Amino acid sequence: MKAIQIPAPSTLQVVDIAKPEAKSGEVLLKIKFVGFCGSDLNTFLGRNPMVKLPVIPGHEVGAVIEAVGPDVPAGFEPGMSVTVNPYTNCGTCAACRNGRVNACEHNETFGVQRNGAMGEYLSLPWQKVIPATDISPRDCALIEPMSVGFHAVSRGQVTDIDTVLVIGCGMIGCGAIVRAALRGATVIAMDLDDDKLELAKRIGARYTINSRTENVHERLLEMTDGLGPDVVFEAVGSPATYVTAVNEVAFTGRVVCIGYAKSEVTFQTKYFVQKELDIRGSRNALPEDFRAVVRYLQQDSCPREDLISRIVTPEEALTAMQEWSADPGKVFRILVEF
């Protein structure tokens, strides 16, 4: 079968590999769409320290069930639209013992520590297959990245009395905006791009800040009656935005860290103490986060077309990756259609 492989930095190729079969307890999926995410871009650029090359990328999956192996419970039927939970968990590390399997010490994510989903077929345990009734296979590829933002909002314990700042309005940041708005919070979206900020308004942000053209500190004080936001989500992974999150969050506020900074970050640690901050990491997503995104998309209120920047064939994937690396700020999601 046809698959996409990244054998080395700056290289991407279409390869032929064996088609999998549905073994006992497994479901065979016909892959329809797979999204390229930021980790795939970093793998392509040689900037992903966690990846093992060569690798088949892809963990944002839209598929239909092709066949069901023996010993799979009822509820998985051929032709059903599904997505995939692309993470593993060992069951024995501290995170797993505490029920937070999304943060497993030994996690292997599709397309990073193990081969991913960018091929025509994929077979995997039924527990990792997430039904998505009434959602198209194309839109199923949006579920995983949005679920990461949904999970971050749970980590931030956001409620309807909170004012929330989301720094970075990519797909994960958009997920955080949606979930925080669904919980009744007042949401402020911050980005460098006016188009992304306009979309942020459409999915639930009440206010926006363009940090390239506006004074972030002054604007936040105006919007929060001089208090600062109760919860700040860092969804960029930049030293500057990490510092902004700590500097601007309200006293006794929460900072939720989603993005991976590629270099060391220098903080005024006095704010950790003076503000008595809760600083929390947020990694991947739990099954309930996937289910919450499925329910949101089933309501048909999401401007899905605006979240998909481009759909390409496997043969066009290299050019798409090269163009994305040249102008990363304008891309939400590139989907590869099989």
Side-chain angles (χ1 to χ4, degrees), residues 228-279:
D230 302 290
V231 192
V232 179
F233 295 92
E234 200 293 329
V236 176
S238 161
T241 49
Y242 262 95
V243 170
T244 295
V246 171
N247 288 357
E248 300 299 340
V249 71
F251 274 65
T252 69
R254 285 98 73 197
V255 176
V256 181
C257 308
I258 314 171
Y260 283 95
K262 307 303 186 296
S263 57
E264 292 185 359
V265 184
T266 302
F267 292 105
Q268 290 288 339
T269 55
K270 66 179 183 181
Y271 292 140
F272 297 6
V273 178
Q274 287 179 345
K275 294 184 178 184
E276 198 174 65
L277 299 181
D278 290 331
I279 300 177

Side-chain angles (χ1 to χ4, degrees), residues 33-40 58-62 83-87 138-152 170-179 235 258 282-285 289-290 293 297 307-308 324 332-335:
F33 296 88
V34 184
F36 273 127
C37 80
S39 64
D40 298 319
H59 55 260
E60 302 174 357
V61 180
T83 191
V84 166
N85 183 332
Y87 322 122
R138 184 201 70 172
D139 295 343
C140 283
L142 304 177
I143 294 172
E144 191 275 341
M146 195 167 283
S147 74
V148 176
F150 271 48
H151 179 71
M171 275 294 298
I172 292 172
C174 282
I177 291 167
V178 168
R179 191 75 184 280
I258 314 171
S282 183
R283 182 183 179 194
N284 299 333
D289 302 309
F290 283 88
V293 176
L297 291 177
L307 296 175
I308 300 170
W324 185 17
F332 274 101
R333 272 303 175 271
I334 296 171
L335 302 185

Side-chain angles (χ1 to χ4, degrees), residues 106-128:
H106 306 293
N107 167 66
E108 293 184 351
T109 299
F110 274 159
V112 185
Q113 295 92 349
R114 58 181 175 145
N115 281 331
M118 281 203 178
E120 294 179 283
Y121 293 90
L122 178 68
S123 188
L124 71 171
W126 65 266
Q127 295 92 337
K128 296 297 183 181

Side-chain angles (χ1 to χ4, degrees), residues 131-170:
T133 307
D134 298 326
I135 302 175
S136 72
R138 184 201 70 172
D139 295 343
C140 283
L142 304 177
I143 294 172
E144 191 275 341
M146 195 167 283
S147 74
V148 176
F150 271 48
H151 179 71
V153 171
S154 294
R155 289 284 293 141
Q157 297 178 299
V158 172
T159 72
D160 57 347
I161 65 171
D162 287 320
T163 297
V164 168
L165 170 65
V166 178
I167 304 176
C169 298

